Amino acid sequence: MPRKPFVPGAALVVAAALAAGLTACTGGSGSDGEEGDAKSGGTSTSSQAAEPGRYQTLPEACGLPARGSLRGMLPGDGQHLSRDEAKKIYDGQPDITYDTDRRVGCRWNRETTAGTRHLSLDIQRVVSYDAAVSDDDKAQGIYDSKALAAKIPSGGNGSPSPATPSPSATKDKSEDKGKGAGTGTTTNSSTDQKKKAPSGSPSGASAPAADPSADPSADLSDSTAPRVLDDLGDAAFLNDKLVTADSGVHRDVTVVFRTSNVIVTLAYDQWSTDKTMLPESQELQDKARSLAGELSESLSE
């Protein structure tokens, strides 16, 4: 039987076709599988990844307050300042931090014959490393912890925990119920006034007893009492404390506010060596709130 002629070119064409077919089937199957996993994983990751905060960096803290604001918060007693003295006071002293994109701060102070005033500024940028928790939510949790530690009464935006009633306030209510109608209103009122007087206050000084920040059982409806601020940032509160020490008396006003993933803490205090001359609450609070509003606007620009 005669042999068929062998055609090398035809064999090569058939072999090449078979190889290409096998390669196409194998490659297509693997590519589809990998592409499907990548899409599935990408969708799952994007659905779980929380939104990042607005701020990715921080400004220089000492340069944030306007010079006019600093002059108002650190007044003199009529003394003239040289250029070098003014520069030293109003330029501030920056805090030492190791990552200025995560935390910055600055401090100012001025001593006068009427007393000493201190101002400090701390700015923290919060980053959440939990894919299920946004930077803003993480910052809100830190803010809530600060409000809880300061025992700020609940109310307004944000969600600080309510202040815990003081033992003396609870005792007063129990005693009033036990005494019933037999005890006169005048006696209770005078007793309450004595209890509201802070320890260490000078004899005959009535101002400390009327100060709402000196006693946690005082009337918190007072306009200068520690409270939530509804018109500052995403959440804010103000705390006011009057402290009497051996060296004198000082009032500490603190404003804390959150804007997106940044938390700003502003501390402003005035010291007086004369315990009968109490630093005025309204003045310090007004200046602290004004500066806090200025800082909030600067951060929002």
Side-chain angles (χ1 to χ4, degrees):
M1 188 173 184
R3 293 181 178 180
K4 291 183 180 180
F6 176 72
V7 184
L12 291 174
V13 172
V14 173
L18 290 173
L22 291 173
T23 302
C25 291
T26 305
S29 175
S31 175
D32 290 346
E34 291 177 4
E35 185 177 354
D37 291 344
K39 286 182 179 180
S40 175
T43 303
S44 175
T45 302
S46 62
S47 63
Q48 293 181 358
E51 186 177 353
R54 173 181 178 181
Y55 301 95
Q56 302 301 314
T57 186
L58 291 174
E60 195 274 317
C62 292
L64 272 182
R67 182 59 63 95
S69 300
L70 292 175
R71 288 195 186 99
M73 299 186 77
L74 304 170
D77 49 4
Q79 60 190 21
H80 175 73
L81 293 176
S82 66
R83 179 175 298 182
D84 291 340
E85 290 173 335
K87 180 178 177 61
K88 182 178 180 181
I89 292 174
Y90 300 124
D91 281 2
Q93 181 65 41
D95 291 346
I96 298 176
T97 58
Y98 299 98
D99 187 353
T100 54
D101 284 335
R102 292 295 299 274
R103 195 158 202 160
V104 294
C106 192
R107 300 174 184 276
W108 300 262
N109 70 84
R110 185 173 185 181
E111 297 181 4
T112 67
T113 56
T116 303
R117 298 203 187 195
H118 303 87
L119 172 64
S120 67
L121 182 61
D122 177 81
I123 307 175
Q124 177 185 5
R125 183 174 70 91
V126 179
V127 178
S128 172
Y129 295 101
D130 186 344
V133 180
S134 69
D135 292 347
D136 285 19
D137 288 342
K138 179 72 173 180
Q140 181 65 38
I142 295 175
Y143 166 86
D144 288 343
S145 298
K146 290 178 176 290
L148 179 63
K151 298 181 180 180
I152 303 300
S154 61
N157 55 10
S159 54
S161 301
T164 303
S166 65
S168 61
T170 306
K171 183 178 179 181
D172 290 345
K173 292 181 179 179
S174 300
E175 290 177 353
D176 290 344
K177 289 182 180 180
K179 291 177 182 178
T183 303
T185 304
T186 304
T187 304
N188 288 338
S189 176
S190 61
T191 303
D192 291 340
Q193 290 297 328
K194 291 180 181 178
K195 289 180 179 180
K196 288 183 180 181
S199 59
S201 60
S203 176
S206 59
D211 179 53
S213 65
D215 185 355
S217 66
D219 182 10
L220 295 179
S221 64
D222 189 282
S223 61
T224 59
R227 62 198 180 279
V228 169
L229 303 176
D230 295 320
D231 56 352
L232 181 62
D234 297 317
F237 69 82
L238 180 148
N239 199 14
D240 187 329
K241 290 184 178 180
L242 182 67
V243 181
T244 302
D246 293 338
S247 58
V249 61
H250 61 95
R251 181 178 295 282
D252 305 330
V253 174
T254 305
V255 176
V256 178
F257 70 90
R258 177 185 73 83
T259 173
S260 186
N261 61 319
V262 165
I263 298 176
V264 178
T265 302
L266 187 159
Y268 183 41
D269 64 72
Q270 179 180 356
W271 286 71
S272 174
T273 56
D274 186 352
K275 294 182 180 181
T276 63
M277 300 296 293
L278 300 182
E280 185 181 350
S281 179
Q282 192 67 60
E283 180 208 353
L284 297 182
Q285 288 194 21
D286 288 346
K287 290 182 176 180
R289 289 193 62 181
S290 177
L291 179 58
E294 177 184 321
L295 298 176
S296 180
E297 291 181 2
S298 297
L299 291 170
S300 300
E301 292 178 352

